Amino acid sequence: MMTDSKVIVRAEALESLLIEKGLVDPDRIDETITFYNERVGPMNGAQVVARAWQDPEFKARLLDDGTAAIEEFGFSGGQVDKLVIVENTPDTHNVVVCTLCSCYPWAVLGLPPRWYKDPAYRSRVVREPRAVLKEFGTVIPEDTTVQVWDSSAEIRYMVLPLMPASWADQSVDVLASKVSRDSMIGVEVLAD
Amino acid sequence: MVNDLGELPLQDEFQPPMANGEVLFDEPWQGRIFAMALLLAKQECFAWTEFQTELIEVIHDWEVSEDQAEIYPYYEHFQEALKRVLAAKNVVAPTELDARTVEFSARPHDHDH
């Protein structure tokens, strides 16, 4: 469905006013779009996860202070004020949502997928997380607790997924290539 | 420079997020509104949390209203929130924006984009 043309014209009108006021440069707008479209994405988070799987000391630092730990990769900014990493274990499965709007850890996961911003996901995953996860094809065993984390402008969450046992001998780069975005939001469980 | 936008290093050895199968912006104006909000926050026209507060309110108003479109208009909310925070900060007055919108709406359809 195309957007109402009034909305599009209003966006153009706003841009022209901001340019006149010297507040935005159209080239910077283009650069920003390209940057987020092509450069920032879940591969940043995947590198963090792969390292945590291989390096217990890094993992401890990551769980203790996510914001500081990702700075070791040079990842910061992107509206992450405080990044908290929640670790999946055989006993607890974590899943992340922003019930009020669309808060998301941009620095490690890029921009959120469409469904993350959707009212259905935002309201339902809190009420019936297992049912929502099942719709993603993710079945969590009955004896595993499902913990839902509600992001805010101040705190963003990322899930540290469980590594399938058969991946233990893989290099950190191969591991990073196998970590999906959805597993770091918590709607997917990684499998062989 | 592009890579000071999020203080993130460029990761040349990795695939772009598009490879993950997700298109971030369905229509070009959405990317432009997103980028404008980010750039204005970076130069401290407003704090990101101030924008976020407006966005939460706009989304809430839409969710309790009965006039809901079939497709969730996230970036329309985003635009409305930006309009409100710019008005609150006396950066762009709503009347100014409305006047420019009317002016642009009157352009011939084959105008140069």
Side-chain angles (χ1 to χ4, degrees):
Chain A
M1 188 189 76
M2 282 294 289
T3 306
D4 188 330
S5 63
K6 237 171 90 180
V7 174
I8 300 171
V9 173
R10 191 163 75 161
E12 288 176 25
L14 183 59
E15 183 175 337
S16 85
L17 286 169
L18 293 169
I19 291 168
E20 276 173 22
K21 291 173 192 286
L23 292 170
V24 299
D25 172 346
D27 290 341
R28 294 275 291 163
I29 294 178
D30 291 335
E31 285 170 7
T32 306
I33 295 168
T34 305
F35 182 70
Y36 275 95
N37 258 333
E38 297 179 6
R39 296 294 192 180
V40 187
M43 67 289 291
N44 287 356
Q47 290 178 76
V48 172
V49 167
R51 168 117 183 251
W53 283 344
Q54 288 208 331
D55 179 348
E57 286 174 14
F58 173 73
K59 180 174 149 183
R61 289 198 296 280
L62 183 69
L63 295 175
D64 180 52
D65 182 346
T67 316
I70 65 161
E71 278 172 9
E72 296 178 30
F73 285 81
F75 304 155
S76 64
Q79 319 305 337
V80 171
D81 293 311
K82 183 172 184 196
L83 179 67
V84 172
I85 310 293
V86 287
E87 182 188 17
N88 282 352
T89 65
D91 296 328
T92 306
H93 178 87
N94 299 287
V95 59
V96 177
V97 64
C98 171
T99 54
L100 290 179
C101 53
S102 48
C103 297
Y104 191 73
W106 296 0
V108 277
L109 298 186
L111 294 183
R114 194 177 299 121
W115 55 260
Y116 186 85
K117 299 176 287 196
D118 196 274
Y121 175 75
R122 289 171 21 232
S123 58
R124 287 188 55 224
V125 77
V126 177
R127 277 201 321 269
E128 41 176 359
R130 286 176 190 275
V132 172
L133 291 173
K134 206 171 169 188
E135 287 164 25
F136 279 94
T138 301
V139 178
I140 305 298
E142 279 304 317
D143 54 357
T144 299
T145 304
V146 177
Q147 175 85 47
V148 181
W149 300 86
D150 192 358
S151 308
S152 68
E154 289 78 31
I155 302 182
R156 316 294 171 107
Y157 297 96
M158 185 181 94
V159 174
L160 175 59
L162 275 172
M163 183 182 74
S166 60
W167 295 2
D169 297 332
Q170 305 280 7
S171 72
V172 75
D173 288 341
V174 170
L175 287 176
S177 72
K178 290 169 176 260
V179 179
S180 69
R181 178 200 65 203
D182 287 0
S183 72
M184 294 181 281
I185 303 176
V187 295
E188 186 189 350
V189 171
L190 296 170
D192 297 326
Chain B
M1 269 311 292
V2 174
N3 72 351
D4 69 359
L5 287 169
E7 290 82 35
L8 292 168
L10 301 182
Q11 301 290 323
D12 281 326
E13 64 276 34
F14 287 94
Q15 292 297 306
M18 300 290 279
N20 212 301
E22 202 76 36
V23 179
L24 297 175
F25 304 112
D26 295 325
E27 298 174 29
W29 72 271
Q30 298 176 345
R32 301 195 79 75
I33 277 288
F34 167 79
M36 280 187 258
L38 207 63
L39 292 170
L40 291 167
K42 279 192 117 44
Q43 58 200 45
E44 297 176 353
C45 282
F46 50 80
W48 192 254
T49 48
E50 293 175 301
F51 170 75
Q52 204 96 35
T53 303
E54 297 287 357
L55 182 61
I56 287 169
E57 198 175 300
V58 174
I59 290 173
H60 175 76
D61 289 349
W62 182 85
E63 286 181 348
V64 298
S65 77
E66 288 177 1
D67 179 30
Q68 297 188 357
E70 215 169 289
I71 303 219
Y72 181 56
Y74 176 75
Y75 281 102
E76 290 184 35
H77 298 329
F78 201 94
Q79 185 190 78
E80 180 62 26
L82 181 59
K83 181 186 162 182
R84 289 188 193 181
V85 77
L86 290 175
K89 292 282 173 183
N90 295 317
V91 178
V92 177
T95 48
E96 196 182 8
L97 179 58
D98 289 346
R100 181 63 56 93
T101 306
V102 169
E103 187 191 320
F104 276 17
S105 302
R107 290 175 306 192
H109 288 298
D110 59 351
H111 77 274
D112 180 21
H113 272 283

